[in-house]
Structure formats: structure tokens, C-alpha cells
Amino acid sequence: MIANFLYTICVLPFETVFRYLYAALYYVSGSYGISLILMSLASTAAIGPFMRYASRAQLRERHMQDILRPQLDKIKAESAGFQRHNRINELYRRYAYHPIYSIRSAFGVLIQVPLLLGAYYMLRGHESIVSQAFGIISDLSRPDALFFGLNLLPVLMTVINMSSACVTPG
């Protein structure tokens, strides 16, 4: 019941948007493979501003933790119990900080997971890609099995993502 509610609220809207976007891109390109690539590029461009915000929030949180950590360590070493609690609360109040704010650093993941699930569910139920070839891929609805029966595309995608993480500033 909760899973259905979360799916309906968080994933279904993205699945629906992806379904219409994919259909429009197929109408323009005439290729299911090109449509997948264009849909990926469009979704990356659409979440770009959110990811920049998430990156800035993560940097702010890291900076705040760098400021608070030595002071918290000192308070924990010098006091205990109720006194420690009051001193930590005063420290947080002085910096207008609450520990729950650390969740902001997870905003990037919270954006990406519903998008990825929306794309997955849209493609999982998309009958039009069954038996559709694209380039060296014989069937877009099946695992690629390009390297002696092993799926090469997930490995390639991981290498590309890791290399982009290495060259991205910050």
C-alpha cells in the first residue's frame, strides 16, 4: 500500500512524462534508439539546475560540518549529559543550524532515483522496443550480451559516469 502510494506520487509522474517525451522524440527521429539517447540527454538537461543546487547544498553542508566538527569534538570532550546537550544546542543556535539540515546533501540522489525509476518503468512496459535493433544492439528490450554473452553496455555506462565524475570540477 505504501509502495503503491510512493510509486503514484514519486515515480508515475516521471514515467508519464518520459512516455510522452519518448513518443514525441520517436515521431521526430523515426528511431527508437535515437529516441532513447535524446530522451536521456533531455532528462539530463532538465535536471541540470536541480543537480547544481544539490551540489551547492552539499558544499554548504560540508563547509558547515568543517566549522562545527572541531567545536563539537571539544564540547564532547569537556562535558557530558545535560550540559553537553545544552552546549551543542547553543552551538547549533549560534550558527542557525539543525542536524536535520544534513539531509540537504542527499538532494541529488533524491532527484535522480524517481527519474531513473520513471524511465525504467516506462521502458519496461514499452512494447514498441521489443525486437527493435539499434546499431550493434540486436534488441533494445533485452540485455545487450555484446561481449561473449556478457552485458557490455552497463560496464561502458559505469566507466563513462566514473570518468565524468573525475573530470567534473569539485
Side-chain angles (χ1 to χ4, degrees), residues 122-158:
M122 185 279 295
L123 290 171
R124 185 186 74 165
H126 215 285
E127 296 296 323
S128 62
I129 63 173
V130 175
S131 298
Q132 290 293 323
F134 179 69
I136 59 173
I137 302 168
S138 60
D139 185 350
L140 288 173
S141 67
R142 311 268 313 142
D144 61 75
L146 291 175
F147 187 69
F148 302 107
L150 298 174
N151 298 328
L152 186 61
L153 291 178
V155 174
L156 181 63
M157 182 180 72
T158 302

mmCIF file of all heavy atoms in Angstrom, residues 122-158:
data_model
loop_
_atom_site.group_PDB
_atom_site.id
_atom_site.type_symbol
_atom_site.label_atom_id
_atom_site.label_comp_id
_atom_site.label_asym_id
_atom_site.label_seq_id
_atom_site.Cartn_x
_atom_site.Cartn_y
_atom_site.Cartn_z
ATOM 1 N N MET A 122 8.879 3.064 -17.563
ATOM 2 C CA MET A 122 8.381 3.420 -18.887
ATOM 3 C C MET A 122 8.942 2.457 -19.927
ATOM 4 O O MET A 122 8.208 1.934 -20.762
ATOM 5 C CB MET A 122 8.774 4.860 -19.230
ATOM 6 C CG MET A 122 8.199 5.383 -20.542
ATOM 7 S SD MET A 122 9.032 4.913 -22.072
ATOM 8 C CE MET A 122 10.604 5.688 -21.909
ATOM 9 N N LEU A 123 10.236 2.192 -19.857
ATOM 10 C CA LEU A 123 10.846 1.304 -20.849
ATOM 11 C C LEU A 123 10.453 -0.155 -20.631
ATOM 12 O O LEU A 123 10.317 -0.914 -21.591
ATOM 13 C CB LEU A 123 12.372 1.443 -20.806
ATOM 14 C CG LEU A 123 12.907 2.768 -21.337
ATOM 15 C CD1 LEU A 123 14.386 2.895 -21.054
ATOM 16 C CD2 LEU A 123 12.614 2.905 -22.817
ATOM 17 N N ARG A 124 10.283 -0.547 -19.386
ATOM 18 C CA ARG A 124 9.925 -1.933 -19.071
ATOM 19 C C ARG A 124 8.604 -2.320 -19.717
ATOM 20 O O ARG A 124 8.440 -3.425 -20.212
ATOM 21 C CB ARG A 124 9.835 -2.116 -17.563
ATOM 22 C CG ARG A 124 9.598 -3.558 -17.158
ATOM 23 C CD ARG A 124 9.370 -3.652 -15.709
ATOM 24 N NE ARG A 124 8.026 -3.136 -15.445
ATOM 25 C CZ ARG A 124 7.373 -3.308 -14.339
ATOM 26 N NH1 ARG A 124 7.946 -3.907 -13.338
ATOM 27 N NH2 ARG A 124 6.165 -2.831 -14.177
ATOM 28 N N GLY A 125 7.677 -1.408 -19.745
ATOM 29 C CA GLY A 125 6.364 -1.719 -20.303
ATOM 30 C C GLY A 125 6.171 -1.235 -21.731
ATOM 31 O O GLY A 125 5.056 -1.253 -22.236
ATOM 32 N N HIS A 126 7.231 -0.806 -22.387
ATOM 33 C CA HIS A 126 7.110 -0.237 -23.728
ATOM 34 C C HIS A 126 7.268 -1.333 -24.777
ATOM 35 O O HIS A 126 8.371 -1.765 -25.082
ATOM 36 C CB HIS A 126 8.168 0.852 -23.930
ATOM 37 C CG HIS A 126 7.706 1.971 -24.769
ATOM 38 N ND1 HIS A 126 7.570 1.871 -26.126
ATOM 39 C CD2 HIS A 126 7.335 3.225 -24.444
ATOM 40 C CE1 HIS A 126 7.145 3.027 -26.602
ATOM 41 N NE2 HIS A 126 6.988 3.863 -25.599
ATOM 42 N N GLU A 127 6.151 -1.782 -25.331
ATOM 43 C CA GLU A 127 6.159 -2.891 -26.291
ATOM 44 C C GLU A 127 6.849 -2.535 -27.604
ATOM 45 O O GLU A 127 7.316 -3.413 -28.318
ATOM 46 C CB GLU A 127 4.713 -3.346 -26.568
ATOM 47 C CG GLU A 127 4.016 -3.921 -25.346
ATOM 48 C CD GLU A 127 4.689 -5.203 -24.868
ATOM 49 O OE1 GLU A 127 5.144 -6.004 -25.697
ATOM 50 O OE2 GLU A 127 4.763 -5.386 -23.640
ATOM 51 N N SER A 128 6.912 -1.265 -27.938
ATOM 52 C CA SER A 128 7.439 -0.886 -29.248
ATOM 53 C C SER A 128 8.937 -1.157 -29.396
ATOM 54 O O SER A 128 9.428 -1.258 -30.520
ATOM 55 C CB SER A 128 7.164 0.591 -29.518
ATOM 56 O OG SER A 128 7.821 1.385 -28.556
ATOM 57 N N ILE A 129 9.668 -1.294 -28.297
ATOM 58 C CA ILE A 129 11.104 -1.535 -28.433
ATOM 59 C C ILE A 129 11.451 -3.025 -28.509
ATOM 60 O O ILE A 129 12.600 -3.376 -28.768
ATOM 61 C CB ILE A 129 11.914 -0.867 -27.293
ATOM 62 C CG1 ILE A 129 11.561 -1.452 -25.934
ATOM 63 C CG2 ILE A 129 11.758 0.633 -27.338
ATOM 64 C CD1 ILE A 129 12.447 -0.954 -24.810
ATOM 65 N N VAL A 130 10.467 -3.902 -28.328
ATOM 66 C CA VAL A 130 10.714 -5.343 -28.425
ATOM 67 C C VAL A 130 11.120 -5.675 -29.859
ATOM 68 O O VAL A 130 10.471 -5.257 -30.819
ATOM 69 C CB VAL A 130 9.461 -6.149 -28.006
ATOM 70 C CG1 VAL A 130 9.670 -7.642 -28.230
ATOM 71 C CG2 VAL A 130 9.118 -5.858 -26.560
ATOM 72 N N SER A 131 12.234 -6.380 -29.993
ATOM 73 C CA SER A 131 12.790 -6.822 -31.288
ATOM 74 C C SER A 131 13.261 -5.669 -32.163
ATOM 75 O O SER A 131 13.461 -5.855 -33.355
ATOM 76 C CB SER A 131 11.758 -7.667 -32.064
ATOM 77 O OG SER A 131 11.445 -8.817 -31.320
ATOM 78 N N GLN A 132 13.436 -4.488 -31.579
ATOM 79 C CA GLN A 132 13.958 -3.355 -32.340
ATOM 80 C C GLN A 132 15.478 -3.308 -32.204
ATOM 81 O O GLN A 132 16.004 -3.235 -31.104
ATOM 82 C CB GLN A 132 13.367 -2.034 -31.842
ATOM 83 C CG GLN A 132 11.915 -1.848 -32.148
ATOM 84 C CD GLN A 132 11.652 -1.716 -33.636
ATOM 85 O OE1 GLN A 132 12.424 -1.112 -34.374
ATOM 86 N NE2 GLN A 132 10.570 -2.313 -34.077
ATOM 87 N N ALA A 133 16.158 -3.341 -33.328
ATOM 88 C CA ALA A 133 17.626 -3.275 -33.334
ATOM 89 C C ALA A 133 18.063 -1.822 -33.391
ATOM 90 O O ALA A 133 17.349 -0.949 -33.914
ATOM 91 C CB ALA A 133 18.171 -4.037 -34.528
ATOM 92 N N PHE A 134 19.234 -1.562 -32.827
ATOM 93 C CA PHE A 134 19.840 -0.224 -32.916
ATOM 94 C C PHE A 134 21.352 -0.390 -32.912
ATOM 95 O O PHE A 134 21.927 -0.819 -31.909
ATOM 96 C CB PHE A 134 19.396 0.658 -31.748
ATOM 97 C CG PHE A 134 20.008 2.032 -31.780
ATOM 98 C CD1 PHE A 134 19.650 2.939 -32.763
ATOM 99 C CD2 PHE A 134 20.941 2.412 -30.845
ATOM 100 C CE1 PHE A 134 20.210 4.204 -32.806
ATOM 101 C CE2 PHE A 134 21.510 3.673 -30.874
ATOM 102 C CZ PHE A 134 21.141 4.564 -31.858
ATOM 103 N N GLY A 135 21.973 -0.066 -34.035
ATOM 104 C CA GLY A 135 23.417 -0.223 -34.131
ATOM 105 C C GLY A 135 23.821 -1.671 -33.907
ATOM 106 O O GLY A 135 23.280 -2.583 -34.539
ATOM 107 N N ILE A 136 24.735 -1.897 -32.981
ATOM 108 C CA ILE A 136 25.206 -3.254 -32.707
ATOM 109 C C ILE A 136 24.312 -3.996 -31.719
ATOM 110 O O ILE A 136 24.559 -5.153 -31.404
ATOM 111 C CB ILE A 136 26.662 -3.234 -32.189
ATOM 112 C CG1 ILE A 136 26.778 -2.413 -30.902
ATOM 113 C CG2 ILE A 136 27.613 -2.723 -33.245
ATOM 114 C CD1 ILE A 136 28.137 -2.474 -30.243
ATOM 115 N N ILE A 137 23.279 -3.337 -31.238
ATOM 116 C CA ILE A 137 22.343 -3.948 -30.293
ATOM 117 C C ILE A 137 21.213 -4.581 -31.102
ATOM 118 O O ILE A 137 20.522 -3.895 -31.856
ATOM 119 C CB ILE A 137 21.801 -2.909 -29.302
ATOM 120 C CG1 ILE A 137 22.961 -2.264 -28.548
ATOM 121 C CG2 ILE A 137 20.806 -3.555 -28.347
ATOM 122 C CD1 ILE A 137 22.575 -1.045 -27.762
ATOM 123 N N SER A 138 21.016 -5.886 -30.913
ATOM 124 C CA SER A 138 20.034 -6.599 -31.740
ATOM 125 C C SER A 138 18.597 -6.411 -31.256
ATOM 126 O O SER A 138 17.667 -6.507 -32.042
ATOM 127 C CB SER A 138 20.377 -8.092 -31.789
ATOM 128 O OG SER A 138 20.361 -8.632 -30.483
ATOM 129 N N ASP A 139 18.417 -6.149 -29.945
ATOM 130 C CA ASP A 139 17.063 -5.996 -29.399
ATOM 131 C C ASP A 139 17.127 -5.013 -28.225
ATOM 132 O O ASP A 139 17.726 -5.318 -27.194
ATOM 133 C CB ASP A 139 16.526 -7.346 -28.941
ATOM 134 C CG ASP A 139 15.072 -7.307 -28.477
ATOM 135 O OD1 ASP A 139 14.518 -6.199 -28.319
ATOM 136 O OD2 ASP A 139 14.504 -8.389 -28.273
ATOM 137 N N LEU A 140 16.503 -3.862 -28.382
ATOM 138 C CA LEU A 140 16.551 -2.832 -27.339
ATOM 139 C C LEU A 140 15.853 -3.259 -26.048
ATOM 140 O O LEU A 140 16.114 -2.684 -24.992
ATOM 141 C CB LEU A 140 15.928 -1.531 -27.851
ATOM 142 C CG LEU A 140 16.734 -0.760 -28.882
ATOM 143 C CD1 LEU A 140 15.919 0.401 -29.430
ATOM 144 C CD2 LEU A 140 18.036 -0.266 -28.290
ATOM 145 N N SER A 141 14.999 -4.247 -26.109
ATOM 146 C CA SER A 141 14.269 -4.669 -24.913
ATOM 147 C C SER A 141 15.008 -5.752 -24.125
ATOM 148 O O SER A 141 14.549 -6.154 -23.064
ATOM 149 C CB SER A 141 12.879 -5.190 -25.288
ATOM 150 O OG SER A 141 12.990 -6.404 -26.024
ATOM 151 N N ARG A 142 16.138 -6.218 -24.626
ATOM 152 C CA ARG A 142 16.883 -7.298 -23.988
ATOM 153 C C ARG A 142 18.276 -6.810 -23.577
ATOM 154 O O ARG A 142 18.778 -5.843 -24.121
ATOM 155 C CB ARG A 142 17.043 -8.476 -24.966
ATOM 156 C CG ARG A 142 15.788 -8.915 -25.648
ATOM 157 C CD ARG A 142 14.999 -9.988 -25.000
ATOM 158 N NE ARG A 142 15.855 -11.085 -24.598
ATOM 159 C CZ ARG A 142 15.674 -11.749 -23.472
ATOM 160 N NH1 ARG A 142 14.700 -11.434 -22.673
ATOM 161 N NH2 ARG A 142 16.463 -12.738 -23.147
ATOM 162 N N PRO A 143 18.919 -7.497 -22.636
ATOM 163 C CA PRO A 143 20.314 -7.176 -22.311
ATOM 164 C C PRO A 143 21.178 -7.322 -23.566
ATOM 165 O O PRO A 143 20.897 -8.152 -24.435
ATOM 166 C CB PRO A 143 20.693 -8.222 -21.258
ATOM 167 C CG PRO A 143 19.391 -8.630 -20.655
ATOM 168 C CD PRO A 143 18.379 -8.538 -21.761
ATOM 169 N N ASP A 144 22.235 -6.540 -23.658
ATOM 170 C CA ASP A 144 22.993 -6.469 -24.907
ATOM 171 C C ASP A 144 23.810 -7.721 -25.224
ATOM 172 O O ASP A 144 23.925 -8.105 -26.364
ATOM 173 C CB ASP A 144 23.881 -5.224 -24.920
ATOM 174 C CG ASP A 144 24.902 -5.208 -23.812
ATOM 175 O OD1 ASP A 144 25.901 -5.937 -23.903
ATOM 176 O OD2 ASP A 144 24.710 -4.434 -22.855
ATOM 177 N N ALA A 145 24.423 -8.371 -24.224
ATOM 178 C CA ALA A 145 25.238 -9.575 -24.422
ATOM 179 C C ALA A 145 26.256 -9.384 -25.551
ATOM 180 O O ALA A 145 26.457 -10.263 -26.385
ATOM 181 C CB ALA A 145 24.347 -10.784 -24.673
ATOM 182 N N LEU A 146 26.916 -8.236 -25.595
ATOM 183 C CA LEU A 146 27.836 -7.913 -26.681
ATOM 184 C C LEU A 146 29.218 -8.547 -26.531
ATOM 185 O O LEU A 146 29.921 -8.734 -27.516
ATOM 186 C CB LEU A 146 28.008 -6.388 -26.776
ATOM 187 C CG LEU A 146 26.788 -5.615 -27.262
ATOM 188 C CD1 LEU A 146 27.050 -4.119 -27.195
ATOM 189 C CD2 LEU A 146 26.415 -6.022 -28.665
ATOM 190 N N PHE A 147 29.635 -8.875 -25.343
ATOM 191 C CA PHE A 147 30.994 -9.357 -25.121
ATOM 192 C C PHE A 147 30.940 -10.797 -24.622
ATOM 193 O O PHE A 147 30.868 -11.051 -23.432
ATOM 194 C CB PHE A 147 31.713 -8.443 -24.113
ATOM 195 C CG PHE A 147 33.162 -8.739 -23.942
ATOM 196 C CD1 PHE A 147 34.066 -8.490 -24.957
ATOM 197 C CD2 PHE A 147 33.627 -9.292 -22.760
ATOM 198 C CE1 PHE A 147 35.399 -8.765 -24.797
ATOM 199 C CE2 PHE A 147 34.971 -9.571 -22.590
ATOM 200 C CZ PHE A 147 35.860 -9.312 -23.612
ATOM 201 N N PHE A 148 30.947 -11.747 -25.555
ATOM 202 C CA PHE A 148 30.897 -13.179 -25.230
ATOM 203 C C PHE A 148 29.744 -13.493 -24.269
ATOM 204 O O PHE A 148 29.905 -14.221 -23.297
ATOM 205 C CB PHE A 148 32.224 -13.663 -24.642
ATOM 206 C CG PHE A 148 33.401 -13.448 -25.550
ATOM 207 C CD1 PHE A 148 34.331 -12.470 -25.270
ATOM 208 C CD2 PHE A 148 33.556 -14.215 -26.694
ATOM 209 C CE1 PHE A 148 35.409 -12.263 -26.113
ATOM 210 C CE2 PHE A 148 34.634 -14.007 -27.542
ATOM 211 C CZ PHE A 148 35.562 -13.031 -27.251
ATOM 212 N N GLY A 149 28.596 -12.923 -24.516
ATOM 213 C CA GLY A 149 27.420 -13.170 -23.690
ATOM 214 C C GLY A 149 27.301 -12.265 -22.480
ATOM 215 O O GLY A 149 26.300 -12.288 -21.783
ATOM 216 N N LEU A 150 28.332 -11.475 -22.192
ATOM 217 C CA LEU A 150 28.285 -10.547 -21.059
ATOM 218 C C LEU A 150 27.727 -9.210 -21.522
ATOM 219 O O LEU A 150 27.934 -8.799 -22.666
ATOM 220 C CB LEU A 150 29.680 -10.351 -20.464
ATOM 221 C CG LEU A 150 30.337 -11.605 -19.884
ATOM 222 C CD1 LEU A 150 31.762 -11.289 -19.470
ATOM 223 C CD2 LEU A 150 29.539 -12.125 -18.707
ATOM 224 N N ASN A 151 27.046 -8.522 -20.623
ATOM 225 C CA ASN A 151 26.448 -7.232 -20.961
ATOM 226 C C ASN A 151 27.505 -6.137 -20.881
ATOM 227 O O ASN A 151 27.949 -5.770 -19.806
ATOM 228 C CB ASN A 151 25.280 -6.929 -20.025
ATOM 229 C CG ASN A 151 24.194 -7.966 -20.158
ATOM 230 O OD1 ASN A 151 23.988 -8.522 -21.229
ATOM 231 N ND2 ASN A 151 23.510 -8.243 -19.082
ATOM 232 N N LEU A 152 27.869 -5.606 -22.013
ATOM 233 C CA LEU A 152 28.925 -4.611 -22.107
ATOM 234 C C LEU A 152 28.420 -3.186 -21.834
ATOM 235 O O LEU A 152 29.148 -2.368 -21.272
ATOM 236 C CB LEU A 152 29.566 -4.684 -23.493
ATOM 237 C CG LEU A 152 30.784 -3.832 -23.754
ATOM 238 C CD1 LEU A 152 31.908 -4.230 -22.803
ATOM 239 C CD2 LEU A 152 31.237 -3.981 -25.189
ATOM 240 N N LEU A 153 27.197 -2.895 -22.200
ATOM 241 C CA LEU A 153 26.698 -1.517 -22.080
ATOM 242 C C LEU A 153 26.645 -1.005 -20.637
ATOM 243 O O LEU A 153 27.025 0.147 -20.395
ATOM 244 C CB LEU A 153 25.343 -1.372 -22.768
ATOM 245 C CG LEU A 153 25.397 -1.494 -24.296
ATOM 246 C CD1 LEU A 153 24.005 -1.378 -24.888
ATOM 247 C CD2 LEU A 153 26.327 -0.471 -24.894
ATOM 248 N N PRO A 154 26.208 -1.790 -19.644
ATOM 249 C CA PRO A 154 26.263 -1.271 -18.268
ATOM 250 C C PRO A 154 27.687 -0.975 -17.812
ATOM 251 O O PRO A 154 27.929 0.004 -17.110
ATOM 252 C CB PRO A 154 25.641 -2.394 -17.428
ATOM 253 C CG PRO A 154 24.796 -3.153 -18.380
ATOM 254 C CD PRO A 154 25.491 -3.065 -19.705
ATOM 255 N N VAL A 155 28.647 -1.792 -18.232
ATOM 256 C CA VAL A 155 30.054 -1.549 -17.879
ATOM 257 C C VAL A 155 30.522 -0.262 -18.550
ATOM 258 O O VAL A 155 31.154 0.590 -17.913
ATOM 259 C CB VAL A 155 30.939 -2.743 -18.290
ATOM 260 C CG1 VAL A 155 32.402 -2.438 -18.077
ATOM 261 C CG2 VAL A 155 30.522 -3.991 -17.533
ATOM 262 N N LEU A 156 30.194 -0.095 -19.816
ATOM 263 C CA LEU A 156 30.565 1.117 -20.544
ATOM 264 C C LEU A 156 29.937 2.352 -19.900
ATOM 265 O O LEU A 156 30.601 3.380 -19.725
ATOM 266 C CB LEU A 156 30.143 0.989 -22.010
ATOM 267 C CG LEU A 156 30.468 2.157 -22.924
ATOM 268 C CD1 LEU A 156 31.977 2.344 -23.021
ATOM 269 C CD2 LEU A 156 29.870 1.927 -24.295
ATOM 270 N N MET A 157 28.670 2.258 -19.517
ATOM 271 C CA MET A 157 27.984 3.378 -18.872
ATOM 272 C C MET A 157 28.657 3.725 -17.541
ATOM 273 O O MET A 157 28.854 4.899 -17.223
ATOM 274 C CB MET A 157 26.513 3.033 -18.640
ATOM 275 C CG MET A 157 25.712 4.156 -18.025
ATOM 276 S SD MET A 157 23.994 3.731 -17.774
ATOM 277 C CE MET A 157 24.128 2.603 -16.409
ATOM 278 N N THR A 158 29.036 2.726 -16.778
ATOM 279 C CA THR A 158 29.700 2.965 -15.497
ATOM 280 C C THR A 158 31.043 3.640 -15.705
ATOM 281 O O THR A 158 31.385 4.594 -14.997
ATOM 282 C CB THR A 158 29.884 1.630 -14.743
ATOM 283 O OG1 THR A 158 28.604 1.037 -14.552
ATOM 284 C CG2 THR A 158 30.560 1.843 -13.402
#
